[in-house]
Amino acid sequence: MATKVSVEDLVRSPALQLRVLAGESGLSRPVSWAHVSELDDPTPWLLGAEVIMTTGIAIPRTAAAQRAYLERLDDAGVSALALSAQLHVPPLHAAFFEVAGERGMPVLEVPLAVPFIAIAQEVAAAVQEDARQRLGAQLQVFGALRWLAAEDLDTASLFRRLERLSGYDVFACTPAGRPLLPGVPVPDPAVIPAEPDAPPTIPGGFVLPVPAPGGPAGFIVALARDGAQPAGLAVAQHIATVAALQVAMARHDRETLRRESAETLAELLQDVLDPATARRRLARLGLEADVVLLVVRGVPDDQLRRALDDLPHLLLRRGDDHHVLGPESLCEAVASVPGVSAGASRPFPAGESTRVAQREAGWAASRAAESGRPLVRYGEDTTGRWLPDDPWTLTALVEHVLGEVLAYDSAHGSQLVTSVRTWMERDRRTEEAASALHVHPNTLAYRLRRFSALTGRDLSSTEAFAEVWLAIRAARQLGMQD
């Protein structure tokens, strides 16, 4: 908006013979243009800082309507209202003058001998020099994409340069008021419009949608800087276009990164990458220290992505589960997602085999679902803390004690191990365990005898009982048993 002429400058012009009727405290308001309007609401077609001239046809007759008319003009950033004397101006009520005084909205009287065109010419002459400055700023701002390509500017640096050239402080946000571009501050939520097609003019500047497929990605707010010469709506619109391109580039980069991350995690889970290659890929994705693997259940893709958005991670969906690889701080972010059931492995060096981590995370996720907890970390099971952490030792124990019976269960669809575990967890109370298993006590007694025959271990023996109990806990810790 131009700042070369003020309302007071126009009042002081001997040729215009303007008289101040009200709103003297606003005479310092800048004027960018003078425009004739006989509409009761011209604000959708205004940019701000105009002098609105009327013969009086637009002025309502009632006190309340006159007050609302002047408030609308002031809210739209109009600098002054000029009324032609002795034509169609209705009687002006006290409420009209009151709102002019309250808001510092100058109301001027134009003598019948002075044509409106004289005021328009006076304003045009005063802002002509400023127009040259605005054109120069537009040409430089239109070169923003050339700077971006030639100088490899980051987003924050690009927008700081646009601010210097345009004369505006620039803000950006999503429709919900969150940051839209890195390094660009968020505006006051009060200026964000409820509708994307709202008028662009706001007090002191403009608010413009940032176009994107499916609707605006957010809004650009440009507020005139004190002491600067703001370059006008055309430049603000171009800044919004630059913001749209930045958003599109960021979305493309993010989607590319998601695909690369998912492909890398798929290969890690299949154990087809050698450690050196895996470490290089993870380093490019920002993962170089110890990592954890999580199995996440019960949440939609977009909800999980939002929770992880600010953290480096790899994400892959497999069936109904999401697998996530990243720093241990992911655990807290995942646990905050409503309705989640997630399990986390122990930390392990980035690039190492995920074979053990997959079993750990899967087991922990099952425990989380059973307990209703949002997240279980492998190794937190206090009842199994006396078992060794080494998965190979645990696997050997399970195979030595339970190998035969696990194979039998797999081949026949029986539940011998589950039955024995349930019986042990209930302190060998057969009727209670049978009820939990939904079988007859005689059926459970048969299963206990069959288990003993296959394992060669008499469950009435304390030594055999302890060995079987340890093996069952190890199998659960490895994720081999629910």
Side-chain angles (χ1 to χ4, degrees), residues 26-379:
L27 291 179
S28 61
R29 292 185 177 195
V31 177
S32 66
W33 202 246
H35 185 67
V36 178
S37 175
E38 303 298 351
L39 298 174
D40 61 351
D41 184 12
T43 57
W45 293 273
L46 302 178
L47 298 179
E50 296 93 351
V51 172
I52 294 298
M53 302 177 289
T54 176
T55 62
I57 296 174
I59 306 298
R61 267 51 184 169
T62 68
Q66 286 182 2
R67 182 181 185 96
Y69 171 77
L70 201 58
E71 287 176 340
R72 279 197 302 275
L73 296 183
D74 186 52
D75 289 342
V78 169
S79 294
L81 174 65
L83 308 175
S84 181
Q86 303 170 14
L87 283 179
H88 307 292
V89 178
L92 298 175
H93 295 274
F96 179 84
F97 292 106
E98 285 172 4
V99 72
E102 291 167 3
R103 294 195 170 213
M105 174 68 172
V107 178
L108 313 176
E109 184 182 69
V110 185
L112 190 60
V114 177
F116 285 162
I117 190 65
I119 300 175
Q121 287 175 339
E122 185 88 8
V123 173
V127 302
Q128 188 174 14
E129 182 183 344
D130 182 67
R132 297 193 191 98
Q133 178 269 332
R134 293 166 67 182
L135 178 59
Q138 288 180 22
L139 292 174
Q140 292 188 68
V141 169
F142 289 160
L145 298 183
R146 178 172 51 80
W147 307 333
L148 191 61
E151 303 180 38
D152 196 25
L153 294 178
D154 60 32
T155 301
S157 300
L158 174 65
F159 275 78
R160 282 195 296 269
R161 187 176 294 188
L162 291 173
E163 285 183 323
R164 289 196 301 272
L165 291 171
S166 68
Y168 294 106
D169 290 325
V170 178
F171 306 84
C173 67
T174 67
R178 298 179 62 191
L180 178 66
L181 296 168
V184 181
V186 171
D188 183 341
V191 304
I192 302 172
E195 300 293 335
D197 56 355
T201 305
I202 58 174
F206 306 102
V207 57
L208 297 160
V210 177
F219 294 92
I220 284 290
V221 176
L223 298 178
R225 206 164 50 247
D226 289 342
Q229 292 183 319
L233 177 61
V235 165
Q237 287 173 327
H238 190 69
I239 291 174
T241 301
V242 172
L245 292 171
Q246 291 290 96
V247 169
M249 291 165 60
R251 287 181 172 177
H252 178 268
D253 291 345
R254 190 160 53 243
E255 191 55 39
T256 300
L257 183 63
R258 283 177 181 170
R259 286 199 302 271
E260 291 179 356
S261 299
E263 290 169 3
T264 296
L265 184 51
E267 291 178 300
L268 288 170
L269 295 178
Q270 293 165 14
D271 213 16
V272 296
L273 291 179
D274 64 89
T277 301
R279 281 193 294 272
R280 283 196 301 272
R281 287 210 203 167
L282 292 176
R284 285 201 303 270
L285 297 168
L287 299 172
E288 298 184 77
D290 283 358
V291 293
V292 295
L293 181 68
L294 294 99
V295 170
V296 183
R297 296 171 182 164
V299 293
D301 288 13
D302 57 345
Q303 202 171 359
L304 181 58
R305 289 187 192 282
R306 283 197 299 271
L308 303 177
D309 204 29
D310 297 328
L311 295 168
H313 67 278
L314 278 64
L315 174 64
L316 175 68
R317 180 164 192 152
R318 300 176 91 185
D320 294 331
D321 293 344
H322 292 89
H323 286 69
V324 185
L325 184 76
E328 200 166 2
S329 54
L330 290 175
C331 294
E332 185 176 349
V334 168
S336 69
V337 179
V340 72
S341 294
S345 72
R346 292 172 298 171
F348 62 97
E352 294 299 311
S353 171
T354 63
R355 196 175 305 163
V356 174
Q358 289 184 66
R359 289 201 296 266
E360 293 177 350
W363 177 87
S366 296
R367 301 289 78 72
E370 287 177 359
S371 64
R373 294 164 59 189
L375 177 79
V376 170
R377 289 179 172 86
Y378 182 84

